[in-house]
Amino acid sequence: MFDRNLLLELKTHQKSAVLLCLLVLLNGFLLVAQANLIMVIINSVFSEGLVIGSMKNYFYCLLLALVLRSAVIFFHELLAHKIGQAVKYNLQQRILKKLMDLGPVALASKQSGQLLNLVTEGISSLEVYFYKYLPQLVITLFIQLIILSIVFKLDFISGIILLITVPLMPLFMILIGKMSGQASSKQWQVLKYLSGHFLDVIKGLKTLKLFGRSTEQIEVIEKISNDFKDVTLGVLRIAFVSVLVLELIATMGIAMVAVSIGLRLLAGEMVFSVAFLILLLIPEFYLPFRQLGTSFHAGMNAMAAS
């Protein structure tokens, strides 16, 4: 889930990281306020029979919450991109400096294609880790804690259902992470070998032509390319399975809460306003984990590159 070496890169961006966490917290509170305002408006109009015109203040507050939340999400993504780009630039400078310090003699045994792939593709995958995967982990942690605490206060049974279902998601992601980590590492190694070999062939193409060995290299590159295709498809297969299982767990959790609330509403054991508010919050509770599943593959790629 985390890579210690990558997290150390945030030492020079501690203030930005703290601000990112504060924005996530603010987004969570605005999300709850938005759901609460929707519940009050719906409950007042349909249950208490109030006229929509008398709810102007609530509509203004709802509009304000929506605008503020959109602004918070915008600045959150902007800050995450800024951190990712800063880390990427810093790593590129350090790698290039290291290569210059080593000099041509020490680098003679290294394949140029592998080094080029490291500085370009490798660094780019690390940037995605900082502006997409890591922020989504923070969002998942904070949003779920906020919503879980509120649901427990509103309805203990719904809170227990969430508490039982939600650990299945990180547990499954850890298991998938081990499989995906191995596959991503293998994919990265094959890509490095393909890049290095391809560049060597391009550089020595004239010599290969003179000795009539160019056809052999076409077959070798084709074989390596097919190996890379097979490994990549294996990684994507794991990623698709992880997203499918996360969606399944989230759907089951929402259905269990909805059935429980529906039965108690019919029995008169629950107030409509509380039930409606919980039903508004439950999808938002599982949404961060479902979004994390989509960026999980990028996180595994970054750890392999690291």
Side-chain angles (χ1 to χ4, degrees), residues 47-219:
S47 296
E48 300 177 9
L50 295 180
V51 182
I52 294 180
S54 63
M55 307 288 294
K56 286 183 179 179
N57 291 335
Y58 288 104
F59 279 108
Y60 289 145
C61 290
L62 178 59
L63 180 62
L64 179 62
L66 289 169
V67 172
L68 286 176
R69 192 174 172 217
S70 298
V72 168
I73 293 172
F74 172 77
F75 284 113
H76 171 269
E77 292 186 358
L78 189 67
L79 185 59
H81 273 278
K82 183 179 178 182
I83 293 174
Q85 288 176 351
V87 171
K88 174 184 176 181
Y89 177 78
N90 184 34
L91 283 170
Q92 278 182 331
Q93 294 302 310
R94 282 158 53 192
I95 289 176
L96 291 174
K97 184 178 183 303
K98 181 67 176 178
L99 294 176
M100 294 296 290
D101 290 342
L102 288 172
V105 177
L107 296 177
S109 59
K110 303 288 183 181
Q111 285 188 316
S112 303
Q114 289 189 7
L115 295 176
L116 182 63
N117 189 57
L118 175 70
V119 178
T120 53
E121 187 70 25
I123 296 295
S124 295
S125 64
L126 296 184
E127 182 187 7
V128 175
Y129 180 88
F130 286 100
Y131 84 75
K132 188 176 182 181
Y133 178 73
L134 203 57
Q136 189 59 47
L137 274 178
V138 177
I139 290 172
T140 302
L141 177 63
F142 281 100
I143 297 294
Q144 289 196 329
L145 284 176
I146 292 170
I147 295 179
L148 185 63
S149 61
I150 291 172
V151 170
F152 257 112
K153 288 182 180 180
L154 294 173
D155 181 44
F156 184 76
I157 296 176
S158 298
I160 290 295
I161 293 173
L162 296 184
L163 203 59
I164 292 172
T165 56
V166 77
L168 297 174
M169 289 182 158
L171 178 62
F172 179 78
M173 290 187 74
I174 290 171
L175 295 175
I176 286 291
K178 292 181 179 180
M179 297 171 56
S180 182
Q182 294 174 356
S184 296
S185 180
K186 186 177 179 181
Q187 180 192 28
W188 179 253
Q189 295 300 326
V190 175
L191 179 61
K192 282 202 305 179
Y193 181 69
L194 174 61
S195 301
H197 186 79
F198 185 75
L199 187 59
D200 286 346
V201 169
I202 295 297
K203 288 164 65 177
L205 191 58
K206 184 178 179 180
T207 305
L208 291 170
K209 274 287 186 181
L210 288 173
F211 288 95
R213 305 297 296 271
S214 57
T215 306
E216 290 182 17
Q217 291 304 315
I218 292 174
E219 294 174 356

